[in-house]
Amino acid sequence: MKKVMLVFGTRPEAVKMCPLIIELKKIKDIETTVCVTGQHAELLSDAMSDFSVKPDHDLGIMADCRGLFDITEKTMSGVRALISEERPELLVVHGDTTSALSAALAAFYLSVPVAHVEAGLRTGDPLSPFPEEFNRRAIDALASYCFAPTEECVENLLRERGGGKGVYLTGNTVIDAVRIMLGSSGPDFAGLDGYRTITVTAHRRENLGRKMEGMLRAVRRIIENNGDVRAVFPMHPNPAVRAAARRVFDGCPRISLTEPMHTGDFHRLLARSSLIMTDSGGVQEEGAILGVPVIVMRDSTERIKEEKNGDVIVAGTDEDEIYKVASSYLALLSSKARRKMPETTSDSSPSRKIAELIRSAVTCDGKNEKKYTQDIDNLKFM
Ligand code: UDP
């Protein structure tokens, strides 16, 4: 039995890795081991339980953890010990966190091949977001298998890796996450009927402080100047985010400040929304999938595909600019038809494609590898 180990630690990673875990567990000749680093302990376990996925190992790195050095050291030593114990054929990481890079580096030093899910995203600025952009590039430099969500990501990888070996265009597993979550049961937010709903999220480290207050003030002005608008803000647990939200929205009508939501509930809320205002990477993709316009409150985004399709607008972090962009978008909304969510079948499921590529990689039968290489050929990337 070939063993595949997945390592991740944050909520957004869990949302995008769980659909892949579900697919890998269906494959009989692979044993799938799930290791969490314990970074976002509560958010992570909520997200995983939404998908009914349980971790096999928890590195618990957040005890006495003070920043990037501790995350790096603790993840590397924890993953090193686990690899020695479990002896996986392949280690799979996702995205751009420091724990993903540290786990990948530990595997690389132990000569265990690494697969990178959501490979090839780039902002073009090596220092922004910091250190995530570097983390992404470094994981792609050492990974044997890069699973790219979009054609732009494939192009970035071909350029940086000097060719297409190990590069696969698979699509984004977030599509599967949204499909699975919208099929789950839970509140349908019918109480929001009759209003235009804005879902708000904000948490990014680089926005904390004055930028965050400005972003939230822009949201408040939108609500106050549009009597038919309600906003829901599931607040990130970070105390700095909560303090800013309570200060800025004090006395504001028609806003609900809530605890973080279970992923299924959150996706149903997004699906009901007229507009999303966020600085999150994952939420902008989910909005784009659901056909809900997204105002991105960030200075740059690595999600070029979403931005290009016109319904994801990078408004920056300046209060007046966000207010202006969001107001004009709200005015447009009533006349704009909503895009439909793209259908995924089990054949087109990105998680299923990645699971088959992984099976092919660890069992070395090469069949699926050929199939997806041909897909890429057809798209003239190789
Ligand atoms: N999310 C959730 N509940 C919430 C808010 C967000 O489950 O109350 C999910 C959301 O669907 C997305 C992910 O959390 O998949 C995004 O996480 P976050 O914004 O923390 O991180 P980022 O995407 O910016 O890395």
Side-chain angles (χ1 to χ4, degrees):
M1 181 78 99
K2 306 288 184 181
K3 203 176 262 188
V4 171
M5 185 190 285
L6 299 94
V7 181
F8 54 93
T10 64
R11 174 177 66 184
E13 290 171 309
V15 170
K16 292 177 181 174
M17 287 288 248
C18 284
L20 171 60
I21 295 167
I22 291 169
E23 289 297 331
L24 283 171
K25 288 197 181 257
K26 291 181 192 164
I27 300 176
K28 288 192 186 66
D29 41 358
I30 290 183
E31 186 183 335
T32 302
T33 302
V34 178
C35 169
V36 296
T37 58
Q39 251 151 300
H40 286 177
E42 214 168 299
L43 293 183
L44 183 77
S45 65
D46 279 356
M48 290 180 74
S49 72
D50 288 344
F51 290 91
S52 307
V53 170
K54 287 200 178 81
D56 302 293
H57 303 277
D58 186 346
L59 301 180
I61 65 164
M62 284 325 262
D64 296 325
C65 191
R66 279 181 232 102
L68 297 176
F69 286 89
D70 285 350
I71 293 176
T72 307
E73 285 172 23
K74 289 175 178 217
T75 306
M76 280 196 78
S77 55
V79 171
R80 177 189 187 180
L82 212 52
I83 287 178
S84 309
E85 187 187 317
E86 294 267 348
R87 306 211 165 271
E89 258 78 27
L90 183 73
L91 183 124
V92 188
V93 294
H94 174 277
D96 59 15
T97 58
T98 297
S99 55
L101 172 59
S102 310
L105 199 52
F108 182 69
Y109 287 165
L110 294 168
S111 300
V112 174
V114 172
H116 188 201
V117 180
E118 201 174 273
L121 284 182
R122 301 287 181 266
T123 59
D125 178 352
L127 292 179
S128 171
F130 175 88
E132 288 83 0
E133 179 75 6
F134 169 77
N135 292 344
R136 255 194 298 265
R137 292 181 188 210
I139 298 170
D140 285 334
L142 62 76
S144 301
Y145 304 94
C146 289
F147 300 131
T150 67
E151 294 168 13
E152 284 87 356
C153 294
V154 171
E155 281 166 16
N156 293 336
L157 292 164
L158 296 193
R159 210 169 33 246
E160 287 172 23
R161 290 165 61 100
K165 191 164 185 307
V167 176
Y168 301 94
L169 178 62
T170 57
N172 194 330
T173 59
V174 74
I175 292 184
D176 298 315
V178 171
R179 180 171 43 81
I180 296 168
M181 287 297 104
L182 288 185
S184 67
S185 54
D188 65 356
F189 300 97
L192 296 169
D193 278 354
Y195 288 93
R196 291 190 290 172
T197 301
I198 301 181
T199 297
V200 182
T201 79
H203 74 97
R204 292 194 78 83
R205 202 177 34 241
E206 66 266 25
N207 289 341
L208 292 177
R210 280 193 21 242
K211 280 188 183 175
M212 177 76 62
E213 301 240 350
M215 284 156 47
L216 300 183
R217 269 199 306 273
V219 175
R220 178 170 182 148
R221 282 164 63 189
I222 291 282
I223 301 167
E224 286 179 334
N225 291 324
N226 294 276
D228 65 338
V229 163
R230 289 192 79 126
V232 182
F233 182 3
M235 290 184 295
H236 195 275
N238 185 331
V241 173
R242 293 180 166 226
R246 296 221 164 87
R247 225 174 3 256
V248 171
F249 292 114
D250 185 35
C252 177
R254 302 185 307 283
I255 178 146
S256 310
L257 302 179
T258 75
E259 287 302 312
M261 290 184 188
H262 278 274
T263 306
D265 299 346
F266 184 69
H267 287 181
R268 275 188 296 278
L269 172 66
L270 291 184
R272 265 198 177 257
S273 299
S274 299
L275 190 67
I276 297 167
M277 297 178 73
T278 186
D279 66 358
S280 156
V283 176
Q284 59 184 277
E285 292 171 338
E286 290 160 354
I289 290 168
L290 291 162
V292 182
V294 184
I295 306 290
V296 181
M297 301 186 288
R298 283 170 68 166
D299 294 321
S300 61
T301 178
E302 55 289 83
R303 268 103 181 151
I304 296 165
K305 183 171 174 223
E306 284 76 21
E307 195 185 347
K308 268 193 195 155
N309 82 20
D311 282 336
V312 174
I313 304 104
V314 182
T317 50
D318 175 72
E319 176 184 337
D320 290 334
E321 188 60 24
I322 295 170
Y323 175 72
K324 202 170 82 192
V325 173
S327 300
S328 55
Y329 225 83
L330 264 184
L332 267 179
L333 280 181
S334 36
S335 58
K336 239 179 146 218
R338 181 124 147 206
R339 266 187 315 107
K340 271 183 68 187
M341 182 175 163
E343 301 227 335
T344 50
T345 59
S346 51
D347 269 350
S348 63
S349 152
S351 309
R352 168 110 180 258
K353 279 187 187 171
I354 295 173
E356 285 181 8
L357 284 164
I358 287 176
R359 189 187 66 75
S360 172
V362 298
T363 60
C364 299
D365 73 0
K367 275 192 216 137
N368 290 313
E369 182 154 344
K370 191 149 175 272
K371 189 168 152 211
Y372 292 112
T373 304
Q374 280 171 350
D375 279 353
I376 294 175
D377 273 342
N378 292 339
L379 291 162
K380 298 192 175 39
F381 285 120
M382 295 183 85

